[in-house]
Amino acid sequence: MANNSITVIDNRTGNKFDFPIVQPTIGPDVVDISSFYKNTGMFTFDRGFTSTASCRSNITYIDGGAGKLMYRGYDIGYLATKKTFLDATYLLLHKELPTKEQLDNFNLELKKRSFINESMKKLFDAFPDNAHPMAILSSAVAALSAFYSDSLDMDTPEEVIEMAHRIIAKIPTIAAFSYRYSKGLPVIYPDLDKGFTENFLYMLRAYPHGYVELKPIEVEALDTIFTLHADHEQNASTTAVRVVASTQAHPYAAVSSGVGALWGRAHGGANESVIRQLEMIGSVDNVDKFIAKAKDKNDPFRLMGFGHRVYKNFDPRATILKELRDKLTDELDIDSHLLEIANKIEKIALSDEYFVKRHLYPNIDFYSGLILNALRIPKEMFAVIFVMGRTPGWIAQWVELKEQKDMKIARPRQLYLGPLERTPKS
Ligand code: ACO
């Protein structure tokens, strides 16, 4: 038996099987069970992948116990407070932080690609009024492959980078158009004189030829939210992107699947649900009643914005956003009614035994929902904002998967508990 291996004993037969232990740069050791079925004739069962590393990755590291998050080795606190979202995007894609010149060039390349083919407007037109912007966004991202079919070859590095730039540059425009169409508002084209995040807020808020006031603190807050969402290792939507990419589908299809996965309220839809839930609670007087519901085993009600699969002490992104929320509360006109309810819930949850025992701390969505609300971004756009932030991560993960020559199509096994073969009644 090698030192760096683990032995599994089948107690039924006494047979022993060795599996290698692989050491990561940092984090728990990993048992390589790729040969498990071949050697033992059995599958492993891991509901929700709580113990399974689905890939090798050099991009993002999370230590859930210590509340640590790093992109390419840089701490999230440093990136969120000292760097911009475009710096983080460049870092995720190109593995290094950009120099000033590299950042300027990158910004220019994205600006050049920020417009979308005019014919795509027919697609937006086809959606009914009040369509959810996520429905429009997921369709429009997949449709990009049809409108930009000149660069779809994933074996040509130049075409890969072209697709990456197009997706990152066009998603804010599609996102803003999705919202404007869903409300019957005239669309606003990108303003090339504005920075990435400022331009998005402008496309969301402006009227043709009209003046729109964008406070620097608003742009800064949204930029921070984007940076904090830029990657989060193998979360549900990134896993969806990787699974689709493993079939050799192009990134438009993969990213569109990521949008779908992120839509759910247990994932990117949580920040919208936070605000909807606060509105439903309605008054500080009702908080205790809803806390009791959240704690009741027989009640499916959950406090939105609390708990995390990986962070079990605190979410470092939530810590940064909590500070940002407090700063914005002083400078912007925040809905103090919702804030009062949120503050009471936060206070109770941080001290109540039920939440403390289960490590249910406020997560990033609790604070991002409140901040986006303060930025007057409509609730139905919250998940879209999450998509805009997460897109560079999805693209970096897609590129990494493509670079790994031993990459396999994702094809999990199952624990079949259905009927045995049945005899048809003739
Ligand atoms: N409110 C009340 N109880 C909760 C909550 C909550 N928000 N979250 C978990 N619990 C309880 C569960 O009932 C369970 O209790 P039990 O041990 O008595 O059975 C225990 O805490 C563990 O819960 P799990 O669902 O097993 O934890 P898991 O790690 O699988 O789920 C999740 C994490 C999905 C985030 C969950 O905490 C949740 O639903 N939170 C609310 C939704 C939310 O805020 N999602 C955003 C996640 S962050 C992101 O996607 C960026």
Side-chain angles (χ1 to χ4, degrees):
M1 180 181 62
N3 278 340
N4 52 352
S5 71
I6 194 162
T7 304
V8 172
I9 304 172
D10 184 340
N11 288 328
R12 298 166 306 177
T13 59
N15 288 341
K16 291 183 180 173
F17 306 96
D18 277 356
F19 296 95
I21 296 175
V22 186
Q23 267 169 338
T25 331
I26 180 172
D29 289 349
V30 174
V31 181
D32 182 347
I33 55 159
S34 338
S35 63
F36 197 90
Y37 174 58
K38 199 169 130 210
N39 292 348
T40 68
M42 290 184 276
F43 297 147
T44 56
F45 177 56
D46 183 13
R47 206 164 48 98
F49 311 116
T50 52
S51 298
T52 299
S54 61
C55 62
R56 292 189 297 269
S57 185
N58 296 333
I59 304 174
T60 292
Y61 174 73
I62 300 173
D63 181 335
K68 185 130 189 95
L69 168 63
M70 300 188 297
Y71 302 159
R72 305 265 187 212
Y74 288 101
D75 185 75
I76 193 62
Y78 166 72
L79 294 171
T81 57
K82 304 279 185 249
K83 294 285 164 186
T84 65
F85 175 58
L86 276 198
D87 285 305
T89 300
Y90 187 98
L91 172 68
L92 288 167
L93 287 187
H94 299 287
K95 304 176 186 170
E96 297 294 339
L97 279 167
T99 61
K100 161 104 183 49
E101 194 191 349
Q102 285 168 330
L103 187 65
D104 289 346
N105 285 339
F106 183 53
N107 199 0
L108 186 65
E109 291 304 316
L110 295 183
K111 281 185 181 191
K112 281 198 279 190
R113 291 166 178 79
S114 61
F115 286 78
I116 53 174
N117 188 312
E118 279 292 300
S119 302
M120 280 189 81
K121 283 185 171 175
K122 284 184 248 158
L123 180 87
F124 292 94
D125 263 333
F127 281 88
D129 294 346
N130 290 323
H132 197 289
M134 284 290 274
I136 309 179
L137 179 65
S138 55
S139 316
V141 171
L144 283 175
S145 63
F147 288 93
Y148 298 92
S149 54
D150 57 317
S151 290
L152 287 176
D153 181 4
M154 291 174 300
D155 295 323
T156 311
E158 296 74 33
E159 296 200 15
V160 167
I161 203 74
E162 180 60 40
M163 285 188 270
H165 284 168
R166 275 183 177 155
I167 293 175
I168 293 167
K170 292 183 196 302
I171 277 193
T173 312
I174 294 174
F177 277 30
S178 303
Y179 172 66
R180 310 281 306 199
Y181 269 87
S182 75
K183 294 285 172 213
L185 298 167
V187 294
I188 303 294
Y189 287 93
D191 178 346
L192 300 187
D193 290 333
K194 292 188 166 36
F196 186 90
T197 301
E198 186 188 10
N199 177 51
F200 170 69
L201 258 189
Y202 161 78
M203 289 190 289
L204 207 61
R205 284 189 186 168
Y207 279 85
H209 314 297
Y211 171 75
V212 57
E213 193 199 355
L214 303 172
K215 295 185 184 140
I217 190 170
E218 294 180 304
V219 176
E220 190 194 315
L222 189 55
D223 201 74
T224 304
I225 286 186
F226 285 153
T227 303
L228 295 177
H229 284 92
D231 197 44
H232 212 230
E233 50 124 295
Q234 308 312 316
N235 57 87
S237 56
T238 301
T239 300
V241 168
R242 276 195 180 252
V243 168
V244 175
S246 79
T247 70
Q248 306 290 336
H250 51 65
Y252 302 107
V255 169
S256 171
S257 312
V259 177
L262 198 133
W263 198 348
R265 71 193 157 95
H267 192 14
N271 49 12
E272 180 179 342
S273 304
V274 166
I275 297 299
R276 289 197 191 280
Q277 194 169 81
L278 293 175
E279 286 170 347
M280 183 188 73
I281 294 172
S283 147
V284 277
D285 299 337
N286 294 332
V287 167
D288 291 335
K289 189 172 86 198
F290 282 94
I291 294 276
K293 272 168 79 58
K295 290 160 62 173
D296 182 353
K297 276 230 145 296
N298 300 315
D299 192 326
F301 179 84
R302 282 194 169 196
L303 267 193
M304 298 313 292
F306 285 82
H308 198 276
R309 168 60 63 79
V310 178
Y311 297 116
K312 295 300 179 193
N313 284 316
F314 66 94
D315 177 342
R317 305 165 303 167
T319 310
I320 295 164
L321 285 190
K322 185 177 160 69
E323 270 177 36
L324 191 57
R325 179 203 60 180
D326 295 343
K327 196 169 152 195
L328 286 172
T329 312
D330 295 339
E331 299 196 26
L332 294 178
D333 185 19
I334 294 198
D335 183 341
S336 57
H337 174 63
L338 286 191
L339 203 57
E340 258 173 43
I341 303 171
N343 286 344
K344 184 163 177 193
I345 294 176
E346 183 186 6
K347 203 168 159 203
I348 295 178
L350 287 173
S351 56
D352 187 293
E353 199 203 336
Y354 173 92
F355 294 92
V356 174
K357 216 172 108 193
R358 290 171 179 75
H359 306 283
L360 300 172
Y361 298 91
N363 59 41
I364 184 171
D365 295 302
F366 182 71
Y367 298 109
S368 70
L370 291 166
I371 291 174
L372 294 174
N373 201 42
L375 297 180
R376 293 183 289 119
I377 290 178
K379 288 187 284 285
E380 60 273 28
M381 284 298 285
F382 287 10
V384 172
I385 299 286
F386 195 154
V387 167
M388 287 178 54
R390 184 55 52 87
T391 300
W394 287 338
I395 301 283
Q397 300 268 353
W398 172 78
V399 171
E400 183 178 76
L401 174 132
K402 286 291 305 161
E403 283 171 356
Q404 290 170 349
K405 298 292 167 237
D406 60 351
M407 183 271 296
K408 277 179 176 286
I409 185 169
R411 187 16 181 125
R413 301 296 194 154
Q414 64 171 7
L415 168 60
Y416 178 69
L417 297 173
L420 294 173
E421 186 165 1
R422 295 203 253 182
T423 315
K425 289 183 191 130
S426 54

